[in-house]
């Protein structure tokens, strides 16, 4: 169970950082960090420029709380 909690922390954090939430026109979506949201007339708007940091932190806290909780319970 301890290893499972550590895997949740590591892989969960990696996935949240590589596939973060972004806000465009009031809506929240998820996309790959180096992906273009829309490309018009040769100009692109990237996910990296529009990351919703509040939701990103909430996701990181929830995933790591779950992982640390599993590690703590299994000892």
């Amino acid at each position: 169970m301890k290893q499972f909690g550590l895997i949740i922390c590591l892989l969960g954090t990696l996935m949240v950082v590589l596939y973060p939430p972004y806000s465009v026109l009031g809506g929240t979506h998820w996309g790959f960090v180096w992906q273009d949201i829309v490309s018009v007339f040769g100009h692109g708007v990237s996910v990296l420029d529009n990351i919703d940091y509040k939701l990103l932190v909430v996701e990181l806290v929830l995933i790591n709380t779950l992982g640390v909780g599993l590690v703590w319970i299994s000892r």
Side-chain angles (χ1 to χ4, degrees), residues 26-75:
T28 301
H29 309 282
W30 284 260
F32 188 65
V33 73
W34 291 290
Q35 174 185 356
D36 280 342
I37 298 167
V38 65
S39 189
V40 178
F41 302 115
H43 299 287
V45 177
S46 69
V47 171
L48 190 60
D49 295 333
N50 296 299
I51 292 176
D52 184 0
Y53 290 104
K54 292 177 194 172
L55 187 56
L56 180 74
V57 169
V58 169
E59 288 179 350
L60 285 171
V61 167
L62 287 175
I63 288 172
N64 287 310
T65 301
L66 177 67
V68 170
L70 285 173
V71 170
W72 188 70
I73 287 171
S74 67
R75 51 178 190 131

